[in-house]
Amino acid sequence: MSTLAQTESGTPTTCAGPASTQDLGSSYGDCLQGECSRKPDQKLPELYGVGDPVMFSSNSSYLSSRGRMIKWFWDSAEEGYRTYHMDEYDEDKNPSGIINLGTSENKLCFDLLSRRLTQPDMQWVEPSLLQYPDWRGHLFLREEVAKFLSFYCKSPAPLKPENVVVLNGCASLFSALATVLCEAGEAFLIPTPYYGAITQHVHLYGNVRLAYVYLDSKVTGTDTRPFQLTVEKLEMALQEATSKGVKVKGLILINPQNPLGDVYAPGELQEYLVFAKRYWLHVVVDEVYMLSVFEKAVGYRSVLSLERLPDPQRTHVMWGASKDFGMSGLRFGTLYTENPDVATAVASLCRYHGLSGLVQYQMAQLLRDRDWINQVYLPENLARLKAAHTYVSEELRALGVPFLSGGAGFFIWVDLRKYLPEATFEEELLLWRRFLDKKVLLSFGKAFECKEPGWFRLVFSDKAHRLRLGMQRVRQVLEEKAQVAEDPPPCQTQEPSDQRR
Amino acid sequence: MSHQSGTFPAPCGQKACQVLKDRNICIQVLVMIQHLQRRVDEHLKQLPTTRQRLHLAKQKQAQSTHEQEALLDHLIRQMVNFLKSRATGGLEQQVSLLSLECRGNVRSAQRAQSSRQPGQLVLQWSDIEPAFVSHDLSNRGSEICVLYHSSFQDYNAYQGDKYQEDKNTLGFINLGTSENKLCIDLITERLGQSDMNCIEDVLLQYPDWRGQPFLREEVARFLTYYCKAPAQLDPENVVVLNGCCSVFSALAMVLCDPGEAFLVPTPFYGGFAFSSHLYAKVELLPVHLESKITEANTHPFQLTVDKLEHTLLQARFMDKKVRGLVLTNPQNPLGDVYSRESLKEYLEFAKRNDLHVIIDEIYMLSVFDESITFHSVLSMERLPDPNRTHVIWGTSKDFGISGFRFGALYTHSKEVASAVGSFGYLHSISGITQHKLCQLLRDREWIDTIYLPTNHFRLQKAHAYITNTLQSLRIPFLCRGSGLYIWINLKKYLNPCTFEEERLLHRRFLDNKLMLSCGKAYMCKEPGWFRLVFADRPLRLKLAILRFCEVLEEQKQDWKEKQLADAMKE
């Protein structure tokens, strides 16, 4: 018998359940930006303390205890994201400003996008777009999304508009799914390193936690590559969470993976789904990088392309325009689920996560323009991604820095362990800060809940001149570091080779 | 066999007979063996499928155990909820009986009805928890679904079957949702101008989650001007989100812990009940106002500090922690505005009791009667408790663009602003939309010389049309000069005058493809009140009134027939 849920009638939902789960979600994702790193000294001690009035009461009189916890999220963004915003690099106005290689944004195709978005078909205004909408999203957009996903996910049968729900971004979608699938205090499994902002997405409203499936860089046993996810590891993590009294309701998979830039093989994907089915777990598959696979040899398969899903009623797919169309500012995210209850429940929350009618119209126009996507946008985007990736990986290789990159996404997972005098997260932070001092923003591994200190995520999808300058600054810091510590750092584990470029 | 042998023809010899007999037996045995073999084969063949079936059955059993667990889970939770609501309901009954007696009030007829009012919200939520059980949703997920269905069922029906002049003349006319449909022509034209269609890199990238700085600056300037603030408002105190409901939801999250409460004078905008409950689990405690004019009540539904104090006291009785007061000004659904003095009194009451005040001024530019002066709380020389005063405004009503999804918070508390800012990425607005909003708010000339005068003129005209009609129908209503709606009293069409009859009348309007909102949705204490939105095109209004009259006529006819039938019985 599962535990009874806390209800609205008085039990504080911010109180995060049993106190025995120190290592479950003990660290919040990175900052509000989600992608870059947070102020290091303002670390939230342990999740089970969250919402405890004593913890946050010291200097606040206007907020509730959960309000103080929520504000912590905001404050914790200071050093990374906000330092960057105070001092953004600008070629003409602020050439010594910070270059942002921390936020996962594709800045390579603004020219193509703004040309497309300013065409006359985009400027349509009609009354229904200005009035209260169908909260699931305008039907014309949901139809277009279904067609689009059917085509690009290569679904065996056409996808249906009634299974589509449109929201203002995938963050909202994570939040809504967490709320409707889990009770407060319950958890999702997630393999780490992972896109750390999800922690905040599922926690803020939903008060849902993440149970980590820690992966290693070292290739052992039957693994064929670093940070490999296996069913065995999933089983272990599930068992551990359960033994600590945490109820796991689902599994979150990001495919293509962030920050690894890798994709799951269809066989693996199937195995994870079968595992989930065995334990009645929901699977939320975040495919937000699905069209950003720039290496042709990589055989990416969407979960929607599988002939038969092991548990279609518990498989929920998300996609958005932030990454694949480089428009994180547009705030478009969509859910595809065959489960009508889940679709309706998420739609019930859409009143709070709605997207302007005019933008919905523009989005539909964009998705509908298959000619432009196939002949102009995608080939150009993938070529530019590949060129930028090649440049950065060459640079890293020249520096003798090992890295992982699987041919998808906007980032390279860089192994800087040999630059840490000691293999600790404090040293990782110091190095990260060193980069920031040198005016280049990266994301450190701890923000992705990586188990091993010393990994960094470097985003390469930026314009050549900024990228060059950014890499110059990175090189400076690393060369400086290498000089300080002439002798190779002790007790380093075997470094993964930079295979699968 | 013996019988057979006995009847066997005698002419054959004994031996031949024996051989025949033996052969016969042999054949029979062979047949039997063959038969058996076949059976064994069949069994062997069936064995794996049987095994499979067994396995399947086992799986099914496990599945159904799982499902039953979920079901039990849900049922127990429902039961607990139910018991709780009953328990609190009973307690409230005692409390309010007590208070009624304290006041020496002897209106015993009303007592039974009003006594349960304080718990109305609690009861409402548990009332509408029929057996919606989904094995895939969490309990709160199911609850959200149920709540949504019950609140937006009619709205969804309308979305699927809207009245259209040329295409769907039998569709719903919506005078229930508060939308201003009078100036879509002006807005459409303005939005079609070239300054609206700018696409810059910054609009397509991750924004400042409190809102793009250019928009927050414009909002601060806009509010300074239209709220007549004594000093320039600070863009750092502005947070913009995708709608006022989102702002309210985020505020409820950061100002209250689950189970805590806000005071709200009722009747009030029901959407806030939804918003405070859905994510934040914050309760709304109604401060019930009355239509009757008495010594303390100089006008209908008057809010007084006495009533606020009284409800606060009651809440303390019930051990409810009250964190704030929610005011809507201009009021929804009353269409009234608070005077500067009463506003000040309410704010001081809040300060005395360490309460936050959330003031929703979303209709602030929809005051169409020139003789009325609206006072924004931001216009006050000195706020009693600036760090606990939070103002909400948006473009949905005043600019008639609810589809834009824009709501703004203005608060002097940096703490509250940044805590609400944490919700920015869950309630963010597209950069492109932020640009358009900024252009719109910046165009003071268009707003002042074209949009506002036209809008007010059209609102006035529509208001006059409806009020004249109501007068000729002898339907009482509150004649006020702001908002997009009229609060009308259909008590005389209810017999008996109960919320059940109100619901039936509401249903009758819907059956006649007319959407109105009933008083219960605004937590009004007295059955029979309806909110009628008049900000629609004349053509639709006329048709709506036609349908409205039809329903009332039917209702009257029904009543007469019922009376006749009753008389016949006697």
Side-chain angles (χ1 to χ4, degrees):
Chain A
M1 187 84 209
S2 54
T3 47
L4 286 177
Q6 295 167 333
T7 63
E8 73 276 20
S9 47
T11 341
T13 39
T14 7
C15 188
S20 54
T21 54
Q22 311 190 11
D23 52 336
L24 290 167
S26 63
S27 160
Y28 279 93
D30 32 4
C31 68
L32 289 164
Q33 177 56 29
E35 297 282 355
C36 43
S37 310
R38 62 160 175 274
K39 193 168 190 170
D41 7 85
Q42 268 188 309
K43 186 149 160 27
L44 198 64
E46 302 292 352
L47 187 64
Y48 61 78
V50 170
D52 178 2
V54 184
M55 234 182 82
F56 295 95
S57 63
S58 52
N59 55 0
S60 171
S61 51
Y62 300 115
L63 301 176
S64 63
S65 44
R66 82 174 155 196
R68 288 190 279 277
M69 191 274 297
I70 288 161
K71 182 170 175 287
W72 175 88
F73 279 119
W74 180 260
D75 294 339
S76 62
E78 288 291 345
E79 186 169 347
Y81 185 51
R82 238 162 279 155
T83 312
Y84 162 64
H85 266 288
M86 302 286 281
D87 186 19
E88 260 179 72
Y89 169 84
D90 187 291
E91 211 175 348
D92 313 316
K93 284 179 244 162
N94 191 16
S96 64
I98 299 170
I99 302 253
N100 182 357
L101 304 183
T103 308
S104 179
E105 279 189 293
N106 183 353
K107 293 175 183 158
L108 293 170
C109 289
F110 286 139
D111 54 335
L112 303 178
L113 287 165
S114 65
R115 214 172 303 148
R116 183 65 192 85
L117 288 172
T118 42
Q119 276 170 33
D121 67 324
M122 289 289 174
Q123 319 311 343
W124 181 247
V125 180
E126 64 170 30
S128 71
L129 299 177
L130 300 179
Q131 291 169 9
Y132 283 120
D134 177 343
W135 293 110
R136 274 166 194 255
H138 281 287
L139 182 62
F140 63 78
L141 177 56
R142 286 188 287 119
E143 278 169 354
E144 221 43 68
V145 168
K147 273 187 237 160
F148 180 89
L149 292 180
S150 303
F151 183 77
Y152 289 101
C153 296
K154 302 188 181 65
S155 70
L159 302 176
K160 296 180 191 137
E162 61 265 31
N163 297 343
V164 174
V165 184
V166 171
L167 296 90
N168 66 338
C170 289
S172 303
L173 191 44
F174 267 120
S175 170
L177 278 175
T179 306
V180 305
L181 298 180
C182 307
E183 310 298 344
E186 295 182 340
F188 282 118
L189 285 179
I190 193 163
T192 77
Y194 73 102
Y195 169 54
I198 295 173
T199 315
Q200 195 184 346
H201 299 341
V202 299
H203 185 86
L204 211 51
Y205 271 131
N207 198 9
V208 166
R209 293 184 280 174
L210 297 177
Y212 300 137
V213 186
Y214 285 108
L215 306 181
D216 298 300
S217 65
K218 207 165 159 183
V219 181
T220 53
T222 53
D223 288 3
T224 56
R225 57 180 199 273
F227 299 108
Q228 187 172 358
L229 178 64
T230 60
V231 171
E232 202 190 336
K233 291 175 197 167
L234 285 169
E235 296 266 9
M236 266 166 51
L238 178 62
Q239 234 167 52
E240 204 190 321
T242 312
S243 73
K244 284 174 175 166
V246 173
K247 183 153 186 190
V248 173
K249 275 299 197 43
L251 164 67
I252 296 176
L253 295 174
I254 308 172
N255 188 32
Q257 294 158 57
N258 178 2
L260 300 176
D262 215 340
V263 301
Y264 293 121
E268 292 176 321
L269 210 51
Q270 187 81 27
E271 280 176 29
Y272 309 146
L273 294 176
V274 169
F275 155 82
K277 185 189 163 92
R278 210 158 44 236
Y279 294 98
W280 291 292
L281 298 182
H282 290 271
V283 185
V284 176
V285 191
D286 175 1
E287 299 193 343
V288 81
Y289 291 99
M290 100 185 162
L291 298 179
S292 302
V293 182
F294 53 88
E295 212 67 70
K296 284 212 179 74
V298 175
Y300 171 73
R301 285 279 298 275
S302 161
V303 81
L304 291 175
S305 75
L306 298 181
E307 228 6 278
R308 194 178 306 166
L309 285 172
D311 196 355
Q313 290 293 308
R314 288 201 181 82
T315 310
H316 318 295
V317 184
M318 46 205 282
W319 181 75
S322 295
K323 310 300 178 185
D324 285 343
F325 283 99
M327 302 190 293
S328 35
L330 196 89
R331 316 309 303 135
F332 167 81
T334 180
L335 166 71
Y336 192 87
T337 175
E338 286 183 32
N339 188 320
D341 289 348
V342 174
T344 307
V346 169
S348 306
L349 292 170
C350 279
R351 206 175 151 76
Y352 302 88
H353 308 294
L355 190 61
S356 164
L358 297 180
V359 174
Q360 292 197 38
Y361 183 82
Q362 292 178 327
M363 200 59 222
Q365 288 301 103
L366 198 73
L367 296 181
R368 169 180 298 153
D369 194 350
R370 225 49 82 63
D371 280 350
W372 177 79
I373 296 175
N374 288 335
Q375 281 149 36
V376 181
Y377 180 74
L378 277 187
E380 191 58 37
N381 185 36
L382 295 181
R384 290 181 191 180
L385 280 174
K386 187 162 177 173
H389 177 263
T390 307
Y391 167 71
V392 172
S393 44
E394 292 297 328
E395 284 285 303
L396 290 172
R397 229 169 274 133
L399 279 165
V401 171
F403 61 89
L404 292 176
S405 181
F410 306 154
F411 25 72
I412 293 178
W413 189 233
V414 185
D415 179 7
L416 299 180
R417 285 181 294 175
K418 65 178 174 186
Y419 295 95
L420 305 188
E422 256 179 281
T424 63
F425 288 110
E426 287 73 31
E427 286 296 334
E428 181 182 275
L429 276 174
L430 287 176
L431 179 56
W432 172 79
R433 227 183 245 156
R434 191 77 204 113
F435 284 121
L436 197 60
D437 290 344
K438 284 282 170 210
K439 302 294 178 79
V440 58
L441 180 65
L442 301 181
S443 308
F444 53 81
K446 184 70 188 157
F448 301 87
E449 208 49 50
C450 184
K451 196 173 143 189
E452 307 158 4
W455 291 86
F456 284 75
R457 193 188 68 177
L458 193 154
V459 173
F460 60 79
S461 50
D462 207 343
K463 296 274 190 200
H465 66 279
R466 281 196 293 254
L467 208 50
R468 246 195 321 272
L469 196 57
M471 285 312 288
Q472 246 171 47
R473 294 174 183 179
V474 168
R475 191 188 313 128
Q476 251 177 19
V477 172
L478 293 183
E479 277 170 356
E480 203 178 89
K481 272 271 171 187
Q483 271 183 354
V484 174
E486 284 278 70
D487 46 341
C491 68
Q492 290 295 319
T493 47
Q494 173 203 338
E495 285 149 20
S497 54
D498 52 341
Q499 39 157 295
R500 300 170 59 97
R501 251 163 269 141
Chain B
M1 196 71 83
S2 58
H3 175 72
Q4 244 182 16
S5 64
T7 53
F8 219 79
C12 325
Q14 190 81 22
K15 211 173 178 184
C17 196
Q18 189 60 41
V19 169
L20 208 73
K21 218 175 177 179
D22 283 353
R23 195 186 287 164
N24 220 351
I25 291 172
C26 252
I27 289 172
Q28 280 194 353
V29 169
L30 270 173
V31 166
M32 263 163 81
I33 287 174
Q34 252 177 357
H35 182 70
L36 270 175
Q37 215 160 12
R38 220 180 301 136
R39 288 295 291 270
V40 169
D41 276 355
E42 268 170 30
H43 270 290
L44 279 176
K45 253 190 251 160
Q46 271 176 2
L47 207 61
T49 52
T50 319
R51 212 179 278 155
Q52 229 170 20
R53 220 178 292 149
L54 252 170
H55 183 67
L56 270 175
K58 220 188 246 170
Q59 267 194 343
K60 242 187 221 160
Q61 199 191 356
Q63 171 95 28
S64 72
T65 316
H66 179 75
E67 281 170 8
Q68 272 169 9
E69 262 184 25
L71 187 73
L72 256 173
D73 223 33
H74 186 81
L75 286 176
I76 289 182
R77 211 182 64 87
Q78 272 192 328
M79 214 160 73
V80 169
N81 264 352
F82 180 72
L83 288 175
K84 265 187 202 157
S85 66
R86 272 300 142 104
T88 49
L91 184 75
E92 283 147 17
Q93 195 157 338
Q94 281 171 12
V95 170
S96 49
L97 276 175
L98 218 156
S99 61
L100 280 169
E101 272 156 16
C102 288
R103 283 153 127 197
N105 202 326
V106 282
R107 282 173 298 162
S108 55
Q110 276 195 1
R111 187 182 297 174
Q113 222 179 35
S114 57
S115 58
R116 262 174 68 160
Q117 298 299 326
Q120 195 181 24
L121 187 62
V122 186
L123 286 173
Q124 258 182 4
W125 298 145
S126 50
D127 279 351
I128 50 152
E129 211 164 332
F132 180 92
V133 181
S134 164
H135 312 305
D136 299 320
L137 297 181
S138 60
N139 293 325
R140 60 180 177 187
S142 306
E143 196 202 357
I144 286 166
C145 268
V146 170
L147 190 57
Y148 179 76
H149 274 300
S150 63
S151 312
F152 293 97
Q153 197 179 16
D154 306 333
Y155 174 76
N156 288 337
Y158 155 73
Q159 281 293 343
D161 184 19
K162 279 187 199 184
Y163 169 84
Q164 269 165 322
E165 217 176 301
D166 35 355
K167 279 178 259 169
N168 189 17
T169 49
L170 294 176
F172 279 101
I173 297 193
N174 184 354
L175 302 187
T177 309
S178 177
E179 278 189 294
N180 185 348
K181 293 173 182 154
L182 291 172
C183 289
I184 292 178
D185 54 336
L186 298 181
I187 292 278
T188 305
E189 200 222 317
R190 183 66 193 85
L191 289 174
Q193 279 171 32
S194 57
D195 63 327
M196 290 287 168
N197 304 323
C198 152
I199 303 284
E200 280 171 32
D201 294 4
V202 66
L203 300 179
L204 298 181
Q205 292 175 19
Y206 281 120
D208 179 337
W209 294 114
R210 288 175 301 161
Q212 295 276 9
F214 64 78
L215 179 57
R216 284 188 290 115
E217 279 160 27
E218 205 49 56
V219 168
R221 271 196 291 270
F222 183 90
L223 293 180
T224 307
Y225 179 74
Y226 288 101
C227 297
K228 302 187 179 61
Q232 195 71 33
L233 299 176
D234 183 359
E236 288 304 298
N237 296 344
V238 175
V239 182
V240 303
L241 301 176
N242 66 339
C244 292
C245 276
S246 300
V247 175
F248 188 81
S249 170
L251 271 177
M253 284 296 286
V254 306
L255 300 181
C256 300
D257 284 319
E260 295 182 343
F262 286 135
L263 296 181
V264 286
T266 69
F268 86 109
Y269 170 54
F272 279 163
F274 194 69
S275 300
S276 59
H277 181 80
L278 203 60
Y279 274 132
K281 305 291 175 212
V282 168
E283 260 180 60
L284 298 183
L285 295 181
V287 181
H288 284 297
L289 308 182
E290 284 163 39
S291 63
K292 210 168 153 187
I293 295 179
T294 59
E295 245 175 87
N297 239 14
T298 55
H299 58 268
F301 300 106
Q302 187 178 6
L303 177 63
T304 61
V305 172
D306 258 7
K307 290 176 196 166
L308 287 169
E309 298 271 12
H310 178 72
T311 313
L312 188 62
L313 201 72
Q314 266 194 349
R316 295 220 170 113
F317 245 124
M318 287 152 57
D319 232 6
K320 268 273 156 245
K321 179 144 195 191
V322 176
R323 291 300 295 255
L325 164 67
V326 182
L327 297 174
T328 311
N329 188 30
Q331 293 160 58
N332 178 5
L334 301 177
D336 224 338
V337 298
Y338 292 122
S339 72
R340 194 190 285 270
E341 294 67 41
S342 32
L343 208 52
K344 193 144 201 183
E345 279 174 26
Y346 309 147
L347 292 177
E348 264 152 14
F349 154 81
K351 186 189 163 85
R352 263 201 311 283
N353 292 288
D354 286 332
L355 298 181
H356 290 272
V357 184
I358 298 175
I359 305 191
D360 177 13
E361 299 191 346
I362 195 165
Y363 293 99
M364 105 188 158
L365 298 180
S366 302
V367 183
F368 53 86
D369 183 339
E370 275 159 22
S371 66
I372 293 173
T373 318
F374 165 74
H375 299 284
S376 165
V377 82
L378 293 174
S379 73
M380 289 190 166
E381 241 352 288
R382 196 178 304 163
L383 282 172
D385 196 354
N387 278 318
R388 285 205 182 82
T389 311
H390 318 293
V391 183
I392 300 177
W393 181 74
T395 47
S396 296
K397 313 298 177 186
D398 285 343
F399 285 92
I401 43 174
S402 36
F404 249 68
R405 314 310 306 131
F406 166 79
L409 167 71
Y410 192 88
T411 172
H412 289 284
S413 165
K414 294 275 186 289
E415 227 179 344
V416 173
S418 51
V420 169
S422 293
F423 287 92
Y425 67 96
L426 298 182
H427 302 299
S428 55
I429 312 173
S430 171
I432 297 176
T433 309
Q434 295 200 40
H435 172 78
K436 290 184 176 165
L437 283 163
C438 180
Q439 292 303 108
L440 195 73
L441 298 183
R442 168 178 295 160
D443 194 351
R444 221 55 74 64
E445 203 189 315
W446 176 78
I447 296 175
D448 285 338
T449 61
I450 299 174
Y451 179 72
L452 281 186
T454 317
N455 187 33
H456 289 169
F457 177 71
R458 291 181 186 176
L459 282 173
Q460 252 168 37
K461 247 175 58 179
H463 183 261
Y465 170 69
I466 294 287
T467 49
N468 288 339
T469 313
L470 290 172
Q471 254 157 12
S472 65
L473 288 168
R474 297 177 187 287
I475 292 172
F477 59 93
L478 295 187
C479 190
R480 301 288 182 266
S482 56
L484 313 174
Y485 33 71
I486 300 174
W487 189 234
I488 65 178
N489 188 345
L490 299 180
K491 230 181 259 182
K492 65 173 173 187
Y493 294 93
L494 304 186
N495 185 43
C497 186
T498 60
F499 282 112
E500 177 55 18
E501 285 297 318
E502 179 184 287
R503 193 184 65 77
L504 290 175
L505 179 56
H506 182 237
R507 179 57 35 208
R508 196 158 225 177
F509 283 126
L510 282 174
D511 291 344
N512 222 9
K513 295 296 179 74
L514 175 63
M515 277 181 76
L516 295 180
S517 319
C518 57
K520 173 111 183 182
Y522 300 86
M523 288 165 79
C524 185
K525 191 177 156 184
E526 306 161 9
W529 290 88
F530 283 76
R531 192 188 73 173
L532 188 152
V533 173
F534 62 82
D536 211 336
R537 312 300 305 235
L539 184 99
R540 278 194 294 252
L541 275 189
K542 250 177 225 150
L543 192 60
I545 286 294
L546 221 67
R547 294 180 184 181
F548 180 75
C549 292
E550 264 170 33
V551 169
L552 293 185
E553 201 48 51
E554 265 175 45
Q555 185 86 355
K556 252 196 267 178
Q557 212 55 45
D558 268 16
W559 188 22
K560 271 185 202 153
E561 274 167 31
K562 216 168 96 190
Q563 271 185 323
L564 205 69
D566 285 350
M568 299 259 279
K569 257 186 237 158
E570 277 167 27

